[in-house]
Amino acid sequence: MGRILLYAVIAVAAFFVIGWLIGLVFGLLKWVLILGLIGLAVMGVMKLAGGKGKSPDWS
């Protein structure tokens, strides 16, 4: 009986850890996407603003 309870506690703890890791991964992915969108917006604004003589043409 004690061994079954131990396995149950280990399973519950594993689900907590897996949930925490999945939340961490999706949280990091969210921030990467947000920063990427901000970077694309800044690049688009700089491209529309002109800036031909100020920055090199990498295309």
Side-chain angles (χ1 to χ4, degrees), residues 13-56:
F15 280 121
F16 274 109
V17 171
I18 289 170
W20 177 78
L21 285 174
I22 289 172
L24 180 66
V25 167
F26 280 111
L28 289 173
L29 181 64
K30 176 185 70 171
W31 284 109
V32 166
L33 289 174
I34 289 171
L35 292 175
L37 285 173
I38 291 172
L40 283 174
V42 168
M43 285 174 52
V45 167
M46 288 177 67
K47 191 166 205 157
L48 288 174
K52 292 181 181 175
K54 298 175 186 170
S55 62

